[in-house]
Amino acid sequence: LSAADVVLVAEAQWANGQIANHNVLLLTAPKNLHVQPAQITFRISPSVNPDGSYDIDVTASKVALFVVFTTLAEGRFSDNAFLLSGSRTIQFIPFLPNQFRSLQNSLRVEHLATYL
């Protein structure tokens, strides 16, 4: 294996098992990585969470690096620019009320392999 074939994941946990820190470490520049194109799909839950956020279920057909979500809706994502293997759920946290339609109409996802 070369540095272009390896991505390290370092994770620190508290004594109770809760993740304290999660880092993805590259051994070479992203442009040099041997990554395969992945199909990323997502589904926005139409139900608002008690805190006002919306769940977004995300799935990757293969490991995807630097998965980035963008939208015209005013708000932020609970996580962004992450490594995705399989499925996970993130949240969109709106800054203003009534952002669902804008989120639904403009949500976009990209990842590193898109640009290599």
Side-chain angles (χ1 to χ4, degrees), residues 4 20 25 32 35-36 70 76 83 86 89 91 113:
L25 308 167
N32 298 327
V35 295
Q36 296 182 359
T70 57
R76 67 178 183 85
L83 177 136
T89 300
Q91 286 74 39

Side-chain angles (χ1 to χ4, degrees), residues 56-92:
I56 303 170
D57 297 319
V58 190
T59 302
S61 62
K62 297 180 182 177
V63 175
L65 286 170
F66 304 119
V67 175
V68 174
F69 280 90
T70 57
T71 181
L72 296 174
E74 296 189 48
R76 67 178 183 85
F77 297 95
S78 59
D79 197 4
N80 217 348
F82 52 86
L83 177 136
L84 180 60
S85 176
S87 299
R88 70 178 285 195
T89 300
I90 62 171
Q91 286 74 39
F92 176 75

Side-chain angles (χ1 to χ4, degrees), residues 10-116:
E11 197 168 84
Q13 295 181 351
W14 297 106
N16 67 2
Q18 181 182 5
I19 296 172
N21 198 344
H22 177 92
N23 291 293
V24 176
L25 308 167
L26 305 180
L27 303 178
T28 188
K31 69 179 184 175
N32 298 327
L33 290 174
H34 298 154
V35 295
Q36 296 182 359
Q39 179 69 30
I40 308 291
T41 57
F42 59 84
R43 185 183 82 66
I44 307 167
S45 172
S47 303
V48 63
N49 293 322
D51 65 358
S53 67
Y54 293 94
D55 287 342
I56 303 170
D57 297 319
V58 190
T59 302
S61 62
K62 297 180 182 177
V63 175
L65 286 170
F66 304 119
V67 175
V68 174
F69 280 90
T70 57
T71 181
L72 296 174
E74 296 189 48
R76 67 178 183 85
F77 297 95
S78 59
D79 197 4
N80 217 348
F82 52 86
L83 177 136
L84 180 60
S85 176
S87 299
R88 70 178 285 195
T89 300
I90 62 171
Q91 286 74 39
F92 176 75
I93 304 154
F95 296 148
L96 301 171
N98 303 317
Q99 293 296 302
F100 180 77
R101 187 164 310 282
S102 180
L103 175 66
Q104 188 177 38
N105 291 335
S106 67
L107 186 61
R108 191 175 99 162
V109 65
E110 304 169 296
H111 60 94
L112 179 65
T114 307
Y115 297 101
L116 296 179

